[in-house]
Amino acid sequence: MKKHATATRIATIGIMSALATGLMFLEFPIFPVANFLKYDPSDILALLAGFIFGIPDAILVLLIKDLLFYILKSADIVGILMNFAAGFFFIVPTVLVYRIRKNRATEILGYAVGVLVTTGVMLVLNMIVVPFYWKISFGEVVKFLPWIAAFNAIKFSADSIVNALVRRRIEKIFE
Ligand code: RBF
C-alpha cells in the first residue's frame, strides 16, 4: 500500500461507500429455498478499499454502506449485521494473505482463503442466528446449511472474480 494524501483517501472512501450503498439495492436471492440470503455486489467496493488503502478503510466502507442501507431500506438489523460479518470475514483474510507478497499468486490465494474463512464462519453464525430469526429448531436449521455454504461460496467467489478483473485498473488511478 502506498501513502495516499488524506484528502484523496477520505474523498475516495466517501465515493466508494456511496457506490457500495447503491449496489446493495441490487440485492436478489440466489436460492428460492433460502431467500433470506441475498446476493449484492457491494462488498467489491469495500475489498477494493482494502487493497488500495488498507483493512481499516475497508471496514469503514462496510460500516457506512450497511448503516446507510439499514436507514434507507432494510430496517432488519439481523440481516445487516450478518451482511457486515460476511463482508468482514471475507475481506480481512483476503487482504492479509495478499499482503504477504503482493503478487498475483498471493492475490489468488487470498481470495481462496477469504472465501473459505467467510463460508466457515457464516455457517457457524447462521447456526446460532437462524433458529432465533425464523423461530425454528436447531434440527431444521441443519437443512439450510448446504444452501448457506453454497450461497457464501458463490457470493464471494463472484466478488473475487470481479475484483481480480478490475483491481489493477482502479489502483492505477491512485498511483
Ligand atoms: N449474508 C451473507 O453474505 N452471508 C450469510 O451467511 C448471511 N446470512 C444471513 C442470515 C440471516 C438470518 C439474515 C436475515 C441475513 C443473512 N445475510 C447473509 C444477509 C443477507 O444476505 C442480506 O444481505 C441482508 O439481509 C440485507 O438485505
Side-chain angles (χ1 to χ4, degrees), residues 71-147:
I71 295 167
L72 296 173
K73 170 151 188 223
S74 145
D76 174 17
I77 192 70
V78 175
I80 290 295
L81 289 175
M82 292 298 267
N83 180 288
F84 176 82
F88 179 91
F89 286 108
F90 170 58
I91 290 168
V92 172
T94 302
V95 175
L96 285 180
V97 172
Y98 168 66
R99 290 243 192 99
I100 297 170
R101 284 266 194 290
K102 292 198 177 176
N103 58 28
R104 200 66 169 168
T106 57
E107 180 186 349
I108 291 165
L109 185 66
Y111 297 134
V113 172
V115 171
L116 285 176
V117 169
T118 196
T119 301
V121 171
M122 292 318 288
L123 274 176
V124 176
L125 285 182
N126 273 280
M127 277 197 278
I128 298 164
V129 168
V130 172
F132 295 100
Y133 189 81
W134 290 116
K135 299 184 177 57
I136 58 177
S137 73
F138 190 74
E140 283 172 286
V141 176
V142 174
K143 284 187 240 158
F144 282 111
L145 295 184
W147 300 110

Side-chain angles (χ1 to χ4, degrees), residues 15-92:
I15 293 165
M16 285 178 157
S17 304
L19 284 174
T21 308
L23 287 179
M24 227 177 140
F25 277 84
L26 302 176
E27 64 173 15
F28 60 91
I30 301 180
F31 303 119
V33 284
N35 60 6
F36 59 100
L37 302 170
K38 296 178 207 118
Y39 176 77
D40 74 77
S42 65
D43 290 342
I44 297 166
L45 270 303
L47 183 59
L48 282 170
F51 273 103
I52 298 167
F53 300 115
I55 289 170
D57 287 352
I59 294 170
L60 201 57
V61 173
L62 283 181
L63 279 174
I64 295 172
K65 65 116 178 161
D66 277 328
L67 187 67
L68 288 177
F69 190 76
Y70 177 74
I71 295 167
L72 296 173
K73 170 151 188 223
S74 145
D76 174 17
I77 192 70
V78 175
I80 290 295
L81 289 175
M82 292 298 267
N83 180 288
F84 176 82
F88 179 91
F89 286 108
F90 170 58
I91 290 168
V92 172

